[in-house]
Amino acid sequence: MVGLNEVEILLVEDNKNDAELALRSLKKHNLANKILWVKDGAEALDFLFHTGAYANRTSNNIPKVVLLDLKLPKVDGLEVLRKIKADERTKIIPVVVLTSSQEEQDRVNSYKLGVNSYIVKPVEFEKFVSAIEKLGLYWLLLNKPPQL
Amino acid sequence: MITQSDPRFASLFRSVSKIAGAIAIFVGSLVFVGWMLNISALKSIFTGLATMKANTALAFILSGASLRLLHGSGISQRSLRMAQILASTAVLIGLLTLSEYLFGWNLGIDQLLFKDTDSGSSPAGRMSFVTAVNFIAIGLALLLIKSRHSFALAQFLTLLAAFISMIALITYIYEVKSLYAVSPYSTMALHTALIFVVLSFGLLFARPDRGLMAIVTSDTAGGVTMRRLIPAAIGIPVAVGYARLIGERIGFYYFEFGLALMTVSSITLLIILVWWNSRSLYQLDIERKGAEDEVRKLNKELEQRVIQRTAQLEAANKELEAFSYSVSHDLRSPLRAIDGFSKIVIGEYHDKLDDEGKRLLNVIRDNTQKMGQLIDDLLSLSRFGRQEMRLSEIRMDELAKTVFEELKAATSQKNLQFDIKTLPSAYGDRALIHQVFANLLSNAVKFTRPNKDAVIEVGGWSEGDESIYYVKDNGVGFDMQYKNKLFGVFQRLHSESEFEGIGVGLAIVHRIIQRHRGRLWAEGEVNKGAAFYFTLPIIERRG
């Protein structure tokens, strides 16, 4: 388990198979050690806003990227995205929607809410792996976020 | 004013008009015979009354013949000319006689046909002043009745003739001798006055769908009123006046009382008539209002039903969307897991698996990938059916070229010859039509793969209110007996080992063309090639 103060990637994914595949892909490139996997939208918000189970989290550490599924239990992905982008403390966090949905309306809504990227999970494993790898490399290594 | 002429009345009126013409000819001819054989009963009906003059009889024959010639919707130019010559002659007779009265000269026309010995009129054989005037009016009306612009004038002249001759006729009815006292009328015969009245009605009825008569013959409340009140408006004063006269003559009352009696009787009769007419109109109106209310109610119900149905449709549509949404999302995740974990097994347990085990896992992977493709295609089929269309003008040849270039870049086939003709522009959703070309052209590329020289041709033309486009190839083609199966979902005419695909492409094309209100069909022959045709409606763009 990663230390809560060093989380670089927040993976919000209810499907444990998808999560495992994503973690495996990231692990191959040593990008998996600072990843926190939460299983629903409520937990994601708790982590980001220091509430609920994460109320005791003290540090101001924010992840370098949030990988967000759209169809989630409790609080759905679009709602999580809206809350992140609406709050001063979290709006600078890059959010990448990582979903199975090819629906145009989801894409449009996500972009309207200020998503930084929208990826449709490929069914084919190789393509999925390569997509996750590219994501991880891009957001963790290539992208330069503002220093806080 | 828009009035609908009731065809029953219109044709009845036309018949009456024709009969009027015939009566004028007939009576005119009888009088003519009377002059020839010197039969005074034909010339004056009752001995001692004014005679109808020979010229008058002639002018009646001319006018009656002219009126009859003018009947019929598609009368020939010759009949029209003939009718005009006849009417002009009647006018001429009237004019010449009038000039004799006005200038006091004698043109020698009065006894041109027959010698007038027995009439007391002076000069002998000359028709009366008003008869001359009436022939001018009737003749001119006949000349003008077919004209578009002077029709109102024709009707005015007709009514003038009717007015003048009614005075003579009614005077005859009331008091036979009194006409002699009114000098311009002095020699107008009883049947002359009668035939003028008949001819005037004939002229009025000749074109029942125009001018004043249009309302009379209309199937409106106005028409009903006119048809009821006009005969009464003519009949009642005549009858009441006659009754008064009789009463006075017998000595029931004196002049002033008679006048009062006549006035009150007229008022009473007219009121009864108006009341009777209004009552039936009133009932008609109530029925009409009832019917209107009924229609309004039905309309409202219909509207309500439309709203209901629309809501149901919307709900069904929403459900369908939710369904495809969850298909899109939920069906793909397990597939990814199957594929992913199979791959992991192949990768990480490589040395523990024999070749057969690896092969089987790869079969699993092949199938999951195919399933993924299937779901994607199904979803795109549903998306192309639902998504809102953004219509714009499309340069079809450019679009086809673009699509072909994209395909060419993606295929390894080298021997493709692409032949694009000039295509009419279309009006439609660019993205959707792009998909149509993409599917048809990729099929063409796919099914010409075995060819040494593949030729793909795109063309089109406009015909009537639609443009027809086609994509033709010289590939493996198909058997025409299966042409109905081409556009169904998951219908394939080739095995997967021959040509890849799951049978959604043409179904998508079909749906897109349907949404554009076009048609789609195909022609083909095994090993000769296939041609796919689709049409798009030509839409008039405003501005």
Side-chain angles (χ1 to χ4, degrees), chain B residues 104 114 116 119 135 219 222 237 486:
Chain B
F114 303 101
D116 183 9
S119 97
F135 276 125
D219 59 355
L486 282 172

Side-chain angles (χ1 to χ4, degrees), chain B residues 76-90:
Chain B
S76 70
Q77 206 58 38
R78 241 182 90 214
S79 307
L80 186 65
R81 177 118 339 243
M82 193 62 210
Q84 282 171 344
I85 289 171
L86 294 173
S88 305
T89 313

Side-chain angles (χ1 to χ4, degrees), chain A residues 66-101:
Chain A
V66 175
L67 301 181
L68 182 64
D69 193 5
L70 283 186
K71 208 166 163 243
L72 292 169
K74 294 180 190 171
V75 182
D76 78 14
L78 286 174
E79 184 61 19
V80 173
L81 177 60
R82 202 182 62 73
K83 289 225 164 94
I84 291 175
K85 290 301 180 185
D87 195 293
E88 269 309 314
R89 292 167 292 170
T90 52
K91 73 197 290 185
I92 59 158
I93 304 175
V95 178
V96 175
V97 164
L98 189 61
T99 177
S100 297
S101 167

Side-chain angles (χ1 to χ4, degrees), chain B residues 225-454:
Chain B
T225 308
M226 294 275 257
R227 289 194 293 271
R228 280 183 191 160
L229 293 189
I230 286 178
I234 295 168
I236 289 177
V238 174
V240 171
Y242 189 72
R244 172 196 158 198
L245 205 63
I246 301 285
E248 261 180 30
R249 274 190 202 141
I250 298 171
F252 275 178
Y253 39 72
Y254 298 109
F255 173 77
E256 290 79 4
F257 185 71
L259 191 62
L261 203 60
M262 172 183 166
T263 309
V264 174
S265 314
S266 297
I267 290 172
T268 311
L269 284 172
L270 281 173
I271 285 177
I272 289 171
L273 186 74
V274 167
W275 176 82
W276 168 70
N277 184 57
S278 301
R279 189 189 57 171
S280 71
L281 287 184
Y282 166 83
Q283 272 163 354
L284 273 178
D285 217 28
I286 289 198
E287 277 170 33
R288 183 179 53 81
K289 279 201 176 118
E292 271 174 13
D293 284 347
E294 189 70 16
V295 167
R296 216 169 289 140
K297 212 178 87 190
L298 283 174
N299 259 341
K300 207 166 265 173
E301 275 175 25
L302 201 65
E303 239 166 70
Q304 204 56 43
R305 213 170 300 164
V306 168
I307 290 170
Q308 227 169 19
R309 288 284 148 80
T310 311
Q312 282 171 355
L313 274 177
E314 270 167 8
N317 215 27
K318 279 237 168 69
E319 207 169 291
L320 202 69
E321 266 172 48
F323 172 74
S324 69
Y325 183 90
S326 70
V327 165
S328 147
H329 194 273
D330 294 349
L331 291 193
R332 297 168 102 247
S333 298
L335 279 179
R336 188 163 41 247
I338 297 170
D339 190 48
F341 289 105
S342 307
K343 170 74 205 249
I344 290 166
V345 171
I346 295 171
E348 294 182 11
Y349 297 86
H350 192 263
D351 21 332
K352 292 188 180 132
L353 282 169
D354 60 8
D355 285 349
E356 181 62 4
K358 283 178 211 155
R359 189 187 72 80
L360 293 176
L361 280 168
N362 278 322
V363 170
I364 294 175
R365 295 199 64 211
D366 280 352
N367 279 290
T368 48
Q369 278 156 28
K370 200 172 294 160
M371 182 86 181
Q373 189 59 46
L374 223 94
I375 292 171
D376 286 352
D377 285 357
L378 262 187
L379 283 173
S380 65
L381 177 65
S382 111
R383 241 199 327 274
F384 286 130
R386 284 184 290 125
Q387 90 191 15
E388 207 181 311
M389 299 216 292
R390 286 176 212 134
L391 300 177
S392 64
E393 175 137 18
I394 306 168
R395 302 280 310 260
M396 293 293 271
D397 19 24
E398 277 175 21
L399 183 61
K401 214 170 278 174
T402 311
V403 173
F404 183 75
E405 293 304 326
E406 287 168 14
L407 281 172
K408 205 171 181 185
T411 183
S412 53
Q413 279 162 263
K414 291 282 180 282
N415 54 347
L416 278 174
Q417 188 194 325
F418 188 56
D419 186 7
I420 185 153
K421 314 275 187 216
T422 343
L423 299 181
S425 293
Y427 194 66
D429 184 305
R430 197 187 163 79
L432 293 181
I433 300 298
H434 183 284
Q435 192 66 39
V436 167
F437 274 127
N439 290 11
L440 291 180
L441 284 172
S442 66
N443 272 358
V445 169
K446 181 159 74 181
F447 294 114
T448 51
R449 203 183 300 145
N451 288 39
K452 237 176 72 189
D453 297 300

